[in-house]
Amino acid sequence: MLELAKPADREAVNALAEQVHRLHVGWRPDLFRMPEQMYTEERFLEAVENKELFCAWQDGRMVGYINAHVAEYDYPSVVSHREYVIEELGVREDCRGQGIGTRIMREAAALAKAFGCTCLRLGAYAENEDGLAFYRKMGFRLRAVNLEMRL
């Protein structure tokens, strides 16, 4: 299902990334705004070159995507390890609830293992109740809590 994105996929990735980002703008307009395009050509090609952007395909159409990278930790105060950090995950609105997100996450976990990672990590906004429920269902647990005080 997951394939490394190709240059020809940029338009489809942009359309889906915009669907997902609109949710963030709705939840937190104090932090997010809609850009002209989520993936400029430069950003897209860099993500492809770094093997960070994957598209999920079903019946010949792109139904989802994931942007993730390996983060390495090797500090005196931390046990040396690698994590697969999911920056973005999106499933087309008209395809949600069909198990696509679950398959993307399972394939992301397999990629993470192949990259020598010990875990998947991601962040989610508190307002993203559907996303949080999905991540919990997939086995994610709270690791840390980010707090803010608006001024």
Side-chain angles (χ1 to χ4, degrees):
M1 171 177 256
L2 279 184
E3 296 177 12
L4 184 62
K6 302 175 296 300
D9 299 330
R10 188 166 77 94
E11 186 176 318
V13 170
N14 258 321
L16 182 49
E18 288 173 10
Q19 279 184 10
V20 173
H21 193 67
R22 267 192 210 92
L23 296 171
H24 292 89
V25 172
W27 296 321
R28 293 297 306 264
D30 59 315
L31 295 177
F32 298 105
R33 60 184 171 163
M34 285 304 299
E36 283 187 37
Q37 51 187 322
M38 295 296 295
Y39 280 89
T40 62
E41 185 172 1
E42 181 181 349
R43 179 180 180 219
F44 186 87
L45 293 175
E46 181 179 336
V48 171
E49 182 179 320
N50 292 334
K51 296 179 175 46
E52 296 175 346
L53 187 61
F54 295 84
C55 297
W57 295 89
Q58 182 173 283
D59 300 325
R61 69 180 181 147
M62 196 190 86
V63 294
Y65 81 103
I66 187 168
N67 184 325
H69 66 274
V70 174
E72 295 196 43
Y73 299 90
D74 190 17
Y75 309 111
S77 61
V78 176
V79 174
S80 180
H81 68 286
R82 302 175 108 196
E83 299 177 353
Y84 200 50
V85 181
I86 299 169
E87 298 291 346
E88 299 173 35
L89 169 68
V91 174
R92 286 174 49 132
E93 287 174 329
D94 62 341
C95 296
R96 292 182 188 152
Q98 299 176 21
I100 293 166
T102 298
R103 291 199 314 264
I104 290 172
M105 291 300 272
R106 287 185 180 145
E107 290 191 35
L111 279 171
K113 286 180 184 179
F115 294 145
C117 297
T118 58
C119 71
L120 295 177
R121 180 167 51 92
L122 57 79
Y125 281 89
E127 295 85 355
N128 186 358
E129 293 174 6
D130 291 342
L132 290 168
F134 169 71
Y135 299 135
R136 284 188 194 102
K137 184 180 91 171
M138 292 301 305
F140 284 81
R141 299 292 173 253
L142 284 180
R143 169 172 153 169
V145 176
N146 289 320
L147 303 172
E148 75 177 345
M149 180 176 71
R150 295 185 191 183
L151 304 175

